[in-house]
Amino acid sequence: MTMSHAASGGPLIPFPELSLPALRQAVATLVPSRLPEFFENMQAAFVRAGEEDSVVPIRMFYRQWGVVIEIERHPDTAARLHAAEHAIDDPDPEIRAQAIREAGEIVRAAHRVVAGG
């Protein structure tokens, strides 16, 4: 992570491979406070995969955290999402509606990136 990336408005880190080591490193770099959540989600995904005899829960875990990383590696986008999340609790229904739209747009765009499109 270099200051030139942050100063130029570009991503802080390249988008990581959707693998456990790469995602763990990205979370540790961008949002270390979320590492406990990452590990809890990972454990739950692997338990569910064993119970269901399916890799789908693991793939969903990778995509979920890929979306988190895609958002957080862009500081302006992350700030917009966090502001929208905060505004969802506003008493003004118009502000809440705008916050929901904003958050939805950000998350959908991140999902498209993670999905490769």
Side-chain angles (χ1 to χ4, degrees), residues 16-39:
E17 173 184 325
L18 293 180
S19 69
L20 189 55
L23 289 171
R24 182 181 61 235
Q25 180 60 47
V27 171
T29 299
L30 296 171
V31 283
S33 65
R34 293 190 69 183
L35 277 170
E37 177 187 1
F38 176 84
F39 287 118

PDB file of all heavy atoms in Angstrom, residues 16-39:
ATOM      1  N   PRO A  16      -7.388  -8.968  -4.449  1.00  0.00           N
ATOM      2  CA  PRO A  16      -6.722 -10.240  -4.169  1.00  0.00           C
ATOM      3  C   PRO A  16      -7.392 -11.412  -4.866  1.00  0.00           C
ATOM      4  O   PRO A  16      -8.552 -11.343  -5.269  1.00  0.00           O
ATOM      5  CB  PRO A  16      -6.866 -10.370  -2.654  1.00  0.00           C
ATOM      6  CG  PRO A  16      -8.154  -9.668  -2.359  1.00  0.00           C
ATOM      7  CD  PRO A  16      -8.197  -8.507  -3.331  1.00  0.00           C
ATOM      8  N   GLU A  17      -6.656 -12.480  -4.960  1.00  0.00           N
ATOM      9  CA  GLU A  17      -7.205 -13.752  -5.403  1.00  0.00           C
ATOM     10  C   GLU A  17      -8.261 -14.167  -4.375  1.00  0.00           C
ATOM     11  O   GLU A  17      -8.129 -13.870  -3.182  1.00  0.00           O
ATOM     12  CB  GLU A  17      -6.049 -14.758  -5.438  1.00  0.00           C
ATOM     13  CG  GLU A  17      -6.419 -16.165  -5.713  1.00  0.00           C
ATOM     14  CD  GLU A  17      -5.200 -17.077  -5.611  1.00  0.00           C
ATOM     15  OE1 GLU A  17      -4.093 -16.647  -5.979  1.00  0.00           O
ATOM     16  OE2 GLU A  17      -5.379 -18.209  -5.141  1.00  0.00           O
ATOM     17  N   LEU A  18      -9.298 -14.842  -4.815  1.00  0.00           N
ATOM     18  CA  LEU A  18     -10.333 -15.307  -3.894  1.00  0.00           C
ATOM     19  C   LEU A  18      -9.893 -16.629  -3.276  1.00  0.00           C
ATOM     20  O   LEU A  18     -10.423 -17.697  -3.587  1.00  0.00           O
ATOM     21  CB  LEU A  18     -11.685 -15.434  -4.592  1.00  0.00           C
ATOM     22  CG  LEU A  18     -12.329 -14.134  -5.046  1.00  0.00           C
ATOM     23  CD1 LEU A  18     -13.669 -14.399  -5.721  1.00  0.00           C
ATOM     24  CD2 LEU A  18     -12.488 -13.157  -3.900  1.00  0.00           C
ATOM     25  N   SER A  19      -8.891 -16.522  -2.414  1.00  0.00           N
ATOM     26  CA  SER A  19      -8.386 -17.675  -1.675  1.00  0.00           C
ATOM     27  C   SER A  19      -8.259 -17.256  -0.220  1.00  0.00           C
ATOM     28  O   SER A  19      -8.172 -16.064   0.094  1.00  0.00           O
ATOM     29  CB  SER A  19      -7.028 -18.118  -2.216  1.00  0.00           C
ATOM     30  OG  SER A  19      -6.042 -17.141  -1.908  1.00  0.00           O
ATOM     31  N   LEU A  20      -8.230 -18.232   0.650  1.00  0.00           N
ATOM     32  CA  LEU A  20      -8.169 -17.933   2.076  1.00  0.00           C
ATOM     33  C   LEU A  20      -6.949 -17.087   2.450  1.00  0.00           C
ATOM     34  O   LEU A  20      -7.099 -16.053   3.101  1.00  0.00           O
ATOM     35  CB  LEU A  20      -8.225 -19.224   2.882  1.00  0.00           C
ATOM     36  CG  LEU A  20      -8.395 -19.078   4.378  1.00  0.00           C
ATOM     37  CD1 LEU A  20      -9.625 -18.249   4.723  1.00  0.00           C
ATOM     38  CD2 LEU A  20      -8.490 -20.447   5.022  1.00  0.00           C
ATOM     39  N   PRO A  21      -5.737 -17.471   2.032  1.00  0.00           N
ATOM     40  CA  PRO A  21      -4.574 -16.655   2.424  1.00  0.00           C
ATOM     41  C   PRO A  21      -4.627 -15.229   1.873  1.00  0.00           C
ATOM     42  O   PRO A  21      -4.309 -14.268   2.578  1.00  0.00           O
ATOM     43  CB  PRO A  21      -3.372 -17.421   1.856  1.00  0.00           C
ATOM     44  CG  PRO A  21      -3.858 -18.800   1.600  1.00  0.00           C
ATOM     45  CD  PRO A  21      -5.326 -18.689   1.324  1.00  0.00           C
ATOM     46  N   ALA A  22      -5.045 -15.084   0.624  1.00  0.00           N
ATOM     47  CA  ALA A  22      -5.077 -13.753   0.010  1.00  0.00           C
ATOM     48  C   ALA A  22      -6.142 -12.866   0.652  1.00  0.00           C
ATOM     49  O   ALA A  22      -5.899 -11.681   0.912  1.00  0.00           O
ATOM     50  CB  ALA A  22      -5.313 -13.873  -1.497  1.00  0.00           C
ATOM     51  N   LEU A  23      -7.310 -13.425   0.908  1.00  0.00           N
ATOM     52  CA  LEU A  23      -8.370 -12.643   1.547  1.00  0.00           C
ATOM     53  C   LEU A  23      -7.998 -12.280   2.977  1.00  0.00           C
ATOM     54  O   LEU A  23      -8.221 -11.162   3.422  1.00  0.00           O
ATOM     55  CB  LEU A  23      -9.692 -13.401   1.509  1.00  0.00           C
ATOM     56  CG  LEU A  23     -10.346 -13.516   0.130  1.00  0.00           C
ATOM     57  CD1 LEU A  23     -11.521 -14.476   0.181  1.00  0.00           C
ATOM     58  CD2 LEU A  23     -10.769 -12.156  -0.398  1.00  0.00           C
ATOM     59  N   ARG A  24      -7.410 -13.227   3.702  1.00  0.00           N
ATOM     60  CA  ARG A  24      -6.991 -12.956   5.087  1.00  0.00           C
ATOM     61  C   ARG A  24      -5.981 -11.811   5.118  1.00  0.00           C
ATOM     62  O   ARG A  24      -6.092 -10.896   5.930  1.00  0.00           O
ATOM     63  CB  ARG A  24      -6.395 -14.213   5.725  1.00  0.00           C
ATOM     64  CG  ARG A  24      -5.981 -13.997   7.175  1.00  0.00           C
ATOM     65  CD  ARG A  24      -5.356 -15.229   7.801  1.00  0.00           C
ATOM     66  NE  ARG A  24      -4.160 -15.605   7.073  1.00  0.00           N
ATOM     67  CZ  ARG A  24      -3.933 -16.813   6.544  1.00  0.00           C
ATOM     68  NH1 ARG A  24      -4.835 -17.766   6.663  1.00  0.00           N
ATOM     69  NH2 ARG A  24      -2.819 -17.071   5.908  1.00  0.00           N
ATOM     70  N   GLN A  25      -5.028 -11.820   4.188  1.00  0.00           N
ATOM     71  CA  GLN A  25      -4.026 -10.752   4.137  1.00  0.00           C
ATOM     72  C   GLN A  25      -4.682  -9.414   3.793  1.00  0.00           C
ATOM     73  O   GLN A  25      -4.351  -8.381   4.370  1.00  0.00           O
ATOM     74  CB  GLN A  25      -2.933 -11.084   3.124  1.00  0.00           C
ATOM     75  CG  GLN A  25      -1.862 -10.019   3.019  1.00  0.00           C
ATOM     76  CD  GLN A  25      -1.141  -9.788   4.346  1.00  0.00           C
ATOM     77  OE1 GLN A  25      -0.743 -10.734   5.006  1.00  0.00           O
ATOM     78  NE2 GLN A  25      -1.002  -8.535   4.742  1.00  0.00           N
ATOM     79  N   ALA A  26      -5.617  -9.427   2.864  1.00  0.00           N
ATOM     80  CA  ALA A  26      -6.298  -8.190   2.476  1.00  0.00           C
ATOM     81  C   ALA A  26      -7.111  -7.620   3.637  1.00  0.00           C
ATOM     82  O   ALA A  26      -7.090  -6.414   3.886  1.00  0.00           O
ATOM     83  CB  ALA A  26      -7.192  -8.439   1.261  1.00  0.00           C
ATOM     84  N   VAL A  27      -7.806  -8.494   4.364  1.00  0.00           N
ATOM     85  CA  VAL A  27      -8.575  -8.035   5.525  1.00  0.00           C
ATOM     86  C   VAL A  27      -7.620  -7.461   6.572  1.00  0.00           C
ATOM     87  O   VAL A  27      -7.863  -6.390   7.131  1.00  0.00           O
ATOM     88  CB  VAL A  27      -9.437  -9.173   6.125  1.00  0.00           C
ATOM     89  CG1 VAL A  27     -10.054  -8.757   7.455  1.00  0.00           C
ATOM     90  CG2 VAL A  27     -10.526  -9.579   5.140  1.00  0.00           C
ATOM     91  N   ALA A  28      -6.516  -8.159   6.815  1.00  0.00           N
ATOM     92  CA  ALA A  28      -5.537  -7.692   7.805  1.00  0.00           C
ATOM     93  C   ALA A  28      -4.954  -6.339   7.407  1.00  0.00           C
ATOM     94  O   ALA A  28      -4.677  -5.501   8.271  1.00  0.00           O
ATOM     95  CB  ALA A  28      -4.420  -8.717   7.965  1.00  0.00           C
ATOM     96  N   THR A  29      -4.805  -6.098   6.123  1.00  0.00           N
ATOM     97  CA  THR A  29      -4.244  -4.838   5.638  1.00  0.00           C
ATOM     98  C   THR A  29      -5.261  -3.707   5.678  1.00  0.00           C
ATOM     99  O   THR A  29      -4.954  -2.605   6.123  1.00  0.00           O
ATOM    100  CB  THR A  29      -3.731  -5.009   4.188  1.00  0.00           C
ATOM    101  OG1 THR A  29      -2.710  -6.009   4.190  1.00  0.00           O
ATOM    102  CG2 THR A  29      -3.178  -3.706   3.631  1.00  0.00           C
ATOM    103  N   LEU A  30      -6.470  -3.982   5.210  1.00  0.00           N
ATOM    104  CA  LEU A  30      -7.460  -2.919   5.024  1.00  0.00           C
ATOM    105  C   LEU A  30      -8.376  -2.691   6.225  1.00  0.00           C
ATOM    106  O   LEU A  30      -8.710  -1.546   6.533  1.00  0.00           O
ATOM    107  CB  LEU A  30      -8.326  -3.223   3.800  1.00  0.00           C
ATOM    108  CG  LEU A  30      -7.598  -3.240   2.461  1.00  0.00           C
ATOM    109  CD1 LEU A  30      -8.526  -3.759   1.371  1.00  0.00           C
ATOM    110  CD2 LEU A  30      -7.072  -1.853   2.118  1.00  0.00           C
ATOM    111  N   VAL A  31      -8.832  -3.745   6.828  1.00  0.00           N
ATOM    112  CA  VAL A  31      -9.793  -3.641   7.939  1.00  0.00           C
ATOM    113  C   VAL A  31      -9.431  -4.647   9.033  1.00  0.00           C
ATOM    114  O   VAL A  31     -10.189  -5.580   9.306  1.00  0.00           O
ATOM    115  CB  VAL A  31     -11.251  -3.823   7.460  1.00  0.00           C
ATOM    116  CG1 VAL A  31     -11.780  -2.583   6.782  1.00  0.00           C
ATOM    117  CG2 VAL A  31     -11.402  -5.041   6.563  1.00  0.00           C
ATOM    118  N   PRO A  32      -8.286  -4.466   9.667  1.00  0.00           N
ATOM    119  CA  PRO A  32      -7.858  -5.445  10.672  1.00  0.00           C
ATOM    120  C   PRO A  32      -8.858  -5.626  11.813  1.00  0.00           C
ATOM    121  O   PRO A  32      -8.925  -6.705  12.404  1.00  0.00           O
ATOM    122  CB  PRO A  32      -6.518  -4.900  11.162  1.00  0.00           C
ATOM    123  CG  PRO A  32      -6.486  -3.466  10.749  1.00  0.00           C
ATOM    124  CD  PRO A  32      -7.352  -3.356   9.527  1.00  0.00           C
ATOM    125  N   SER A  33      -9.655  -4.624  12.087  1.00  0.00           N
ATOM    126  CA  SER A  33     -10.657  -4.757  13.154  1.00  0.00           C
ATOM    127  C   SER A  33     -11.717  -5.809  12.810  1.00  0.00           C
ATOM    128  O   SER A  33     -12.428  -6.278  13.698  1.00  0.00           O
ATOM    129  CB  SER A  33     -11.341  -3.411  13.403  1.00  0.00           C
ATOM    130  OG  SER A  33     -12.074  -3.015  12.258  1.00  0.00           O
ATOM    131  N   ARG A  34     -11.801  -6.192  11.544  1.00  0.00           N
ATOM    132  CA  ARG A  34     -12.796  -7.176  11.125  1.00  0.00           C
ATOM    133  C   ARG A  34     -12.238  -8.598  11.044  1.00  0.00           C
ATOM    134  O   ARG A  34     -12.951  -9.520  10.646  1.00  0.00           O
ATOM    135  CB  ARG A  34     -13.402  -6.761   9.780  1.00  0.00           C
ATOM    136  CG  ARG A  34     -14.229  -5.472   9.928  1.00  0.00           C
ATOM    137  CD  ARG A  34     -15.038  -5.153   8.721  1.00  0.00           C
ATOM    138  NE  ARG A  34     -16.124  -6.119   8.548  1.00  0.00           N
ATOM    139  CZ  ARG A  34     -16.959  -6.092   7.516  1.00  0.00           C
ATOM    140  NH1 ARG A  34     -16.847  -5.143   6.602  1.00  0.00           N
ATOM    141  NH2 ARG A  34     -17.909  -7.000   7.389  1.00  0.00           N
ATOM    142  N   LEU A  35     -10.961  -8.795  11.439  1.00  0.00           N
ATOM    143  CA  LEU A  35     -10.389 -10.144  11.399  1.00  0.00           C
ATOM    144  C   LEU A  35     -11.169 -11.146  12.248  1.00  0.00           C
ATOM    145  O   LEU A  35     -11.408 -12.271  11.787  1.00  0.00           O
ATOM    146  CB  LEU A  35      -8.920 -10.126  11.805  1.00  0.00           C
ATOM    147  CG  LEU A  35      -7.946  -9.751  10.688  1.00  0.00           C
ATOM    148  CD1 LEU A  35      -6.552  -9.525  11.259  1.00  0.00           C
ATOM    149  CD2 LEU A  35      -7.928 -10.794   9.595  1.00  0.00           C
ATOM    150  N   PRO A  36     -11.601 -10.801  13.463  1.00  0.00           N
ATOM    151  CA  PRO A  36     -12.398 -11.783  14.217  1.00  0.00           C
ATOM    152  C   PRO A  36     -13.669 -12.199  13.468  1.00  0.00           C
ATOM    153  O   PRO A  36     -14.011 -13.391  13.423  1.00  0.00           O
ATOM    154  CB  PRO A  36     -12.737 -11.054  15.516  1.00  0.00           C
ATOM    155  CG  PRO A  36     -11.637 -10.050  15.675  1.00  0.00           C
ATOM    156  CD  PRO A  36     -11.314  -9.603  14.265  1.00  0.00           C
ATOM    157  N   GLU A  37     -14.344 -11.248  12.844  1.00  0.00           N
ATOM    158  CA  GLU A  37     -15.542 -11.554  12.055  1.00  0.00           C
ATOM    159  C   GLU A  37     -15.188 -12.457  10.877  1.00  0.00           C
ATOM    160  O   GLU A  37     -15.907 -13.410  10.560  1.00  0.00           O
ATOM    161  CB  GLU A  37     -16.166 -10.244  11.564  1.00  0.00           C
ATOM    162  CG  GLU A  37     -17.369 -10.410  10.685  1.00  0.00           C
ATOM    163  CD  GLU A  37     -17.846  -9.095  10.088  1.00  0.00           C
ATOM    164  OE1 GLU A  37     -17.241  -8.034  10.334  1.00  0.00           O
ATOM    165  OE2 GLU A  37     -18.842  -9.151   9.344  1.00  0.00           O
ATOM    166  N   PHE A  38     -14.067 -12.158  10.209  1.00  0.00           N
ATOM    167  CA  PHE A  38     -13.591 -12.962   9.083  1.00  0.00           C
ATOM    168  C   PHE A  38     -13.404 -14.416   9.525  1.00  0.00           C
ATOM    169  O   PHE A  38     -13.886 -15.344   8.866  1.00  0.00           O
ATOM    170  CB  PHE A  38     -12.272 -12.371   8.557  1.00  0.00           C
ATOM    171  CG  PHE A  38     -11.625 -13.161   7.458  1.00  0.00           C
ATOM    172  CD1 PHE A  38     -12.008 -12.986   6.141  1.00  0.00           C
ATOM    173  CD2 PHE A  38     -10.614 -14.068   7.747  1.00  0.00           C
ATOM    174  CE1 PHE A  38     -11.397 -13.713   5.119  1.00  0.00           C
ATOM    175  CE2 PHE A  38      -9.993 -14.793   6.738  1.00  0.00           C
ATOM    176  CZ  PHE A  38     -10.391 -14.610   5.425  1.00  0.00           C
ATOM    177  N   PHE A  39     -12.715 -14.619  10.651  1.00  0.00           N
ATOM    178  CA  PHE A  39     -12.446 -15.977  11.116  1.00  0.00           C
ATOM    179  C   PHE A  39     -13.722 -16.688  11.568  1.00  0.00           C
ATOM    180  O   PHE A  39     -13.871 -17.891  11.339  1.00  0.00           O
ATOM    181  CB  PHE A  39     -11.378 -15.975  12.203  1.00  0.00           C
ATOM    182  CG  PHE A  39     -10.005 -15.695  11.658  1.00  0.00           C
ATOM    183  CD1 PHE A  39      -9.303 -14.576  12.075  1.00  0.00           C
ATOM    184  CD2 PHE A  39      -9.424 -16.514  10.703  1.00  0.00           C
ATOM    185  CE1 PHE A  39      -8.041 -14.292  11.567  1.00  0.00           C
ATOM    186  CE2 PHE A  39      -8.168 -16.251  10.187  1.00  0.00           C
ATOM    187  CZ  PHE A  39      -7.469 -15.140  10.613  1.00  0.00           C
TER     188      PHE A  39
END
